[in-house]
Amino acid sequence: MLSRKRKLPIVLFFFLAFLCCHYSAFASLSNLDSLIKAIDSAIENKDFFTKRKETKIDSLHAALAIFTDKNRKYEVNSFLFKELEHYDLNRALNVAKEKRKLALQLGDKYHIEQSQMNVAEMLGKMGMYKEAFEILDTIDVAIIDKNNKQYLYHIYHSTYSLLYQSSLSDEERQKYIRYVYQYKDSLLQVLDKSKLNYQLVYTARLLDYGHYDSALEYILGAYPNYLEQKDNFSFDYTLASVYEAMGNTNLQKEYLARAALQDLMKPVKSYIALRKLAIILFQEGDVSRAYTYIKCAMEDAHFAKARFRMIEISETLPIITAAYEQQVNAEKRNLRKLLYFSLVLVAFLLLISFIVLQQIRKLKKAEIKLKNKTREISIMNDQLKSLNDQLAESDHVKEVYIGYVFDICSSYINKLENFRLTVHKKLRSQKINDAILFTSSTKLFSDELKEFYQSFDAIFLGIFPNFIDDFNALLRDDKRIFPKGNEILTPELRVFALIRLGISDSGKIALILHYSPQTVYNYKLKLKNKAKSSKEDFFTSLQKIGR
């Protein structure tokens, strides 16, 4: 027989599984305590919902392997993108790119625009705002289909909202909030007023104007549409935002709990409701549950590769974690006091001895739990730091240099073809001497090498704009190197630029730059001797430039 403690989570688990199939049952969960318990159980059993989601994703991948028709493949990829867009942003981005590839092959303008916007939406959510706007700005809003126009305005609105929330200066925030309002108004111009999407956006606009009572009345009037459109989970979160603006914390918590429960059961991994609910519970003193919720939100955001959500959570996580540790330490102190008191009475009553043993067991459990939580926190912090470092440097460098390699390869193919045609023309015209004279000149090689150096220097300084000053800071004051005349980088600086990019082998550097290996070796030796610090410190500091 199962114990009562084991039975309760299982009962709640099957209750949640039933709710997954019957979303209308949420209406009956009016009691906040019931919602909180359901969230606790959903977090405890979230592997169930994740496995169910992955099974659905796997079935769509299986369908893709079967179909050969490109229209059917595009359709299945569209379903796959819908499943992944709030679940795993990295996989969703890959699917969006595959959709774009298929749309280009089909030559379908509507699908090309739609898939382009899918790619832009994912890039924006992953924090690559510049790349997202570059794609969005290529779409002519004057000629696109109405549905794609709605989608375009939605992406602009959500991306500028993320920029607004991450802005540090008032000037930036004022700039981006104007765009947020502009695209919110644009959405209201193209959305169907009878549909839930319009009603949610209009409610948000009323909140922007401070018309809280009107916003509440309007969103409550949209409830029938919500019942008909069960795949739109924004209703409860929007209603929670209205109650937050009105200062009604109890109803805000209830609707945040509803939204969070739906997020966990869907499941989506990039969400807001659970994090905001955790903050309220923390402020009300429910530190243990707040820690569980914020930890779950961080794990899911990391799974989804939702960089902005991780940054949001990381602002709150240390505060809640510190409070949680203080609570655990306080419990430990109380347990120790009780233990000492019990030890004094152990000689008088056997019952007191039994209580002491119980308290010792609890203390050990608390210590183990604290160690486990501390370990988990350390792992999450390492993951967050690693992700930020990679996003700040590796991805940017790879993207820039991949584009550069493609561009230079294409350019060299064209130049080789022109060279071939010129020589061929001279040979056909029996101008053998001209051909020999033309091919014996080293001017072409010199010009191309000079152009290569200029391109490399310009792109490298575009990524590391302060490289020359930072590199000179590693050298003694009287040994610093600066470009002269029309130079962008000197030959010596160019060698150490490649080393900064991770290419340390002298032979490879010589091959890339068309220097002799001895020249590369001499430059390395010469500048190491000019360094302020030791050889090891010099190269370590070099690798930190630009971080």
Side-chain angles (χ1 to χ4, degrees):
M1 295 291 292
L2 292 170
S3 67
R4 291 187 65 189
K5 290 184 177 179
R6 290 290 303 278
K7 284 181 180 178
L8 181 58
I10 293 174
V11 171
L12 283 173
F13 174 77
F14 284 106
F15 174 60
L16 285 169
F18 171 77
L19 290 183
C20 286
C21 302
H22 304 279
Y23 283 108
S24 60
F26 281 121
S28 65
L29 286 174
S30 59
N31 186 283
L32 181 59
D33 290 338
S34 298
L35 285 165
I36 293 295
K37 289 177 182 177
I39 291 174
D40 293 344
S41 185
I43 292 174
E44 183 179 345
N45 298 286
K46 70 176 183 176
D47 285 347
F48 166 82
F49 301 109
T50 300
K51 287 177 182 177
R52 189 180 63 181
K53 182 80 166 183
E54 290 292 343
T55 299
K56 189 172 183 180
I57 292 169
D58 289 343
S59 68
L60 290 171
H61 279 296
L64 281 173
I66 295 171
F67 294 132
T68 57
D69 180 74
K70 291 179 180 178
N71 283 301
R72 295 299 300 276
K73 280 183 172 290
Y74 184 90
E75 182 181 0
V76 174
N77 271 305
S78 295
F79 288 123
L80 187 56
F81 179 79
K82 290 293 290 183
E83 290 297 325
L84 290 169
E85 63 178 332
H86 301 296
Y87 179 73
D88 187 331
L89 303 187
N90 194 45
R91 281 195 280 173
L93 177 61
N94 290 334
V95 172
K97 289 179 179 178
E98 181 63 23
K99 283 183 66 181
R100 180 172 61 184
K101 178 181 175 182
L102 288 167
L104 289 169
Q105 291 173 356
L106 291 167
D108 187 316
K109 188 174 184 297
Y110 175 85
H111 287 155
I112 291 171
E113 292 167 348
Q114 187 182 70
S115 59
Q116 284 280 74
M117 288 187 285
N118 289 158
V119 173
E121 183 181 21
M122 290 304 101
L123 289 173
K125 288 182 177 180
M126 295 173 75
M128 290 179 275
Y129 306 120
K130 177 178 178 292
E131 293 82 351
F133 284 127
E134 285 176 351
I135 294 174
L136 294 174
D137 291 343
T138 64
I139 299 173
D140 189 351
V141 69
I143 61 174
I144 61 174
D145 174 86
K146 181 179 179 181
N147 289 333
N148 277 346
K149 185 177 292 186
Q150 292 174 4
Y151 188 30
L152 179 66
Y153 288 155
H154 162 72
I155 300 171
Y156 269 119
H157 175 266
S158 61
T159 306
Y160 277 120
S161 295
L162 293 175
L163 280 167
Y164 167 74
Q165 293 172 53
S166 62
S167 297
L168 299 177
S169 69
D170 289 338
E171 181 179 353
E172 283 184 323
R173 291 173 67 84
Q174 289 299 320
K175 171 186 173 182
Y176 292 130
I177 197 62
R178 285 196 295 271
Y179 284 117
V180 172
Y181 290 163
Q182 173 187 329
Y183 283 105
K184 195 175 291 180
D185 290 338
S186 297
L187 270 172
L188 292 173
Q189 294 298 318
V190 295
L191 290 171
D192 186 342
K193 292 185 178 181
S194 65
K195 301 297 183 182
L196 182 59
N197 283 340
Y198 176 91
Q199 293 162 333
L200 294 174
V201 175
Y202 187 72
T203 300
R205 200 68 182 104
L206 289 173
L207 289 179
D208 292 338
Y209 288 123
H211 301 158
Y212 305 142
D213 292 333
S214 299
L216 178 60
E217 181 180 357
Y218 187 81
I219 192 64
L220 291 176
Y223 187 71
N225 278 354
Y226 167 65
L227 293 178
E228 293 177 4
Q229 193 176 342
K230 287 302 178 186
D231 59 340
N232 191 322
F233 292 154
S234 300
F235 179 87
D236 289 325
Y237 182 77
T238 302
L239 192 50
S241 299
V242 174
Y243 284 124
E244 179 184 12
M246 298 179 73
N248 191 332
T249 305
N250 287 333
L251 286 175
Q252 180 194 1
K253 280 195 298 182
E254 178 176 335
Y255 284 94
L256 281 176
R258 289 173 182 269
L261 186 55
Q262 292 177 76
D263 290 337
L264 291 166
M265 289 167 55
K266 178 70 177 173
V268 298
K269 299 292 187 179
S270 175
Y271 48 69
I272 308 174
L274 188 64
R275 175 183 66 84
K276 296 189 75 170
L277 181 60
I279 293 171
I280 294 175
L281 293 175
F282 171 73
Q283 292 169 345
E284 293 179 346
D286 193 349
V287 177
S288 180
R289 183 170 274 119
Y291 173 79
T292 300
Y293 288 6
I294 203 74
K295 174 177 169 289
C296 176
M298 174 58 90
E299 290 172 349
D300 287 346
H302 183 265
F303 176 92
K305 307 297 186 299
R307 180 175 177 269
F308 181 75
R309 296 288 174 235
M310 284 190 283
I311 293 172
E312 282 181 329
I313 295 167
S314 67
E315 294 173 357
T316 310
L317 180 61
I319 300 171
I320 295 179
T321 301
Y324 178 77
E325 290 178 347
Q326 288 178 1
Q327 185 182 73
V328 172
N329 289 332
E331 290 175 359
K332 286 176 61 178
R333 287 193 295 271
N334 291 334
L335 288 171
R336 286 195 182 97
K337 290 178 182 178
L338 183 58
L339 175 61
Y340 297 150
F341 178 75
S342 299
L343 288 172
V344 173
L345 299 178
V346 69
F348 301 97
L349 294 169
L350 291 175
L351 180 60
I352 298 300
S353 299
F354 175 75
I355 294 173
V356 169
L357 291 174
Q358 291 295 95
Q359 297 305 319
I360 291 173
R361 293 192 188 99
K362 290 182 180 179
L363 180 59
K364 289 181 178 178
K365 288 180 181 179
E367 289 174 345
I368 292 171
K369 187 176 181 181
L370 179 60
K371 288 179 181 178
N372 291 337
K373 298 300 182 185
T374 303
R375 191 180 302 114
E376 290 173 0
I377 293 165
S378 177
I379 292 171
M380 285 190 291
N381 286 337
D382 290 342
Q383 290 173 340
L384 183 61
K385 184 178 183 300
S386 174
L387 179 62
N388 284 335
D389 289 342
Q390 292 171 9
L391 289 172
E393 178 183 346
S394 179
D395 287 351
H396 182 56
V397 171
K398 287 178 182 176
E399 289 170 5
V400 172
Y401 275 97
I402 287 172
Y404 168 66
V405 168
F406 285 159
D407 182 68
I408 199 169
C409 287
S410 175
S411 175
Y412 282 163
I413 289 170
N414 292 333
K415 290 176 180 179
L416 284 172
E417 178 62 11
N418 290 335
F419 182 85
R420 183 190 69 79
L421 290 173
T422 300
V423 173
H424 181 71
K425 183 177 179 181
K426 290 180 182 294
L427 293 175
R428 288 191 62 182
S429 301
Q430 300 298 317
K431 297 179 179 179
I432 305 299
N433 291 334
D434 288 349
I436 293 172
L437 182 63
F438 180 74
T439 56
S440 64
S441 174
T442 61
K443 184 177 185 301
L444 178 62
F445 173 80
S446 299
D447 292 343
E448 291 301 321
L449 188 59
K450 182 178 179 181
E451 184 178 340
F452 167 75
Y453 287 158
Q454 290 176 341
S455 298
F456 172 84
D457 296 351
I459 291 173
F460 180 82
L461 289 182
I463 299 171
F464 303 99
N466 299 319
F467 177 78
I468 295 174
D469 291 338
D470 292 343
F471 181 82
N472 278 322
L474 304 178
L475 305 178
R476 296 195 298 274
D477 293 345
D478 59 335
K479 302 296 182 180
R480 293 182 174 180
I481 302 171
F482 295 96
K484 300 177 182 178
N486 295 326
E487 283 184 331
I488 300 177
L489 291 178
T490 67
E492 299 98 315
L493 289 174
R494 204 170 287 125
V495 168
F496 284 88
L498 283 175
I499 294 174
R500 174 60 186 86
L501 292 174
I503 304 171
S504 57
D505 182 77
S506 297
K508 289 183 180 179
I509 294 173
L511 185 63
I512 292 170
L513 297 178
H514 294 274
Y515 297 167
S516 71
Q518 184 62 43
T519 298
V520 174
Y521 174 81
N522 290 341
Y523 285 157
K524 281 185 173 182
L525 181 63
K526 177 182 175 182
L527 288 181
K528 280 188 293 186
N529 293 333
K530 294 179 180 181
K532 293 180 179 178
S533 57
S534 65
K535 172 184 175 182
E536 292 75 17
D537 291 340
F538 175 74
F539 281 103
T540 300
S541 300
L542 175 62
Q543 291 302 323
K544 293 180 180 179
I545 290 177
R547 291 184 178 174

